[in-house]
């Protein structure tokens, strides 16, 4: 499910943290990315998958933040269907959902 340009970076990843959600401020994806900046330094086999999307400016903002933070094992997969979500969740060590509100809670 990785983008072609990301496939070369997945090699050492043995464990995953998953985030699924709309790219909206209340979902706090920025918190996930800042946390990844910490644990990527501590756990060289731990990666992060970001599933979801939003307006083009939000995608640019969060992907830009990941680059600014120097994240090497954080992968943006875009929006995915339930079958892929089930696969990703079953491969993940933990799901990270730092939302400060959940109007629908559909994950």
């Amino acid at each position: 499910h990785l983008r072609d340009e990301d496939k070369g970076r997945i090699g050492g990843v043995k464990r995953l943290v998953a985030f699924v959600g709309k790219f909206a401020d209340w979902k706090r994806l920025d918190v996930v990315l800042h946390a990844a900046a910490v644990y990527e330094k501590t756990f060289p086999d731990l990666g992060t998958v970001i599933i979801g999307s939003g307006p083009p400016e939000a995608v640019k903002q969060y992907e830009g933040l990941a680059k600014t933070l120097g994240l090497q094992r954080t992968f943006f997969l875009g929006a995915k269907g339930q079958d892929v979500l089930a696969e990703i969740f079953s491969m993940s060590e933990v799901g990270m959902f730092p939302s400060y509100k959940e109007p629908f809670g559909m994950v």
Side-chain angles (χ1 to χ4, degrees), residues 37-81:
V38 174
Y39 62 69
E40 278 195 9
K41 293 175 187 169
T42 308
F43 303 102
D45 66 336
L46 187 58
T48 307
V49 291
I50 309 295
I51 300 172
S53 192
E57 59 274 5
V59 174
K60 184 177 178 180
Q61 172 190 349
Y62 292 117
E63 289 186 3
L65 179 57
K67 287 180 183 167
T68 298
L69 293 171
L71 299 178
Q72 296 299 308
R73 294 183 310 279
T74 297
F75 307 97
F76 288 82
L77 305 185
K80 299 294 177 188

Side-chain angles (χ1 to χ4, degrees), residues 20-21 26-27 97-107:
V20 177
W26 72 83
K27 295 288 188 174
F97 307 98
S99 304
Y100 63 81
K101 68 178 180 177
E102 272 305 324
F104 302 109
M106 295 171 44
V107 173

Side-chain angles (χ1 to χ4, degrees), residues 5 7 29 31 33 51 56 67-68 71 73 83-84 94:
E5 64 265 23
K7 290 182 179 176
L29 176 52
V31 172
L33 298 174
I51 300 172
K67 287 180 183 167
T68 298
L71 299 178
R73 294 183 310 279
D83 57 333
V84 174
V94 66

Side-chain angles (χ1 to χ4, degrees), residues 84-95:
V84 174
L85 295 180
E87 181 183 340
I88 296 295
F89 283 139
S90 69
M91 293 188 310
S92 299
E93 298 293 316
V94 66

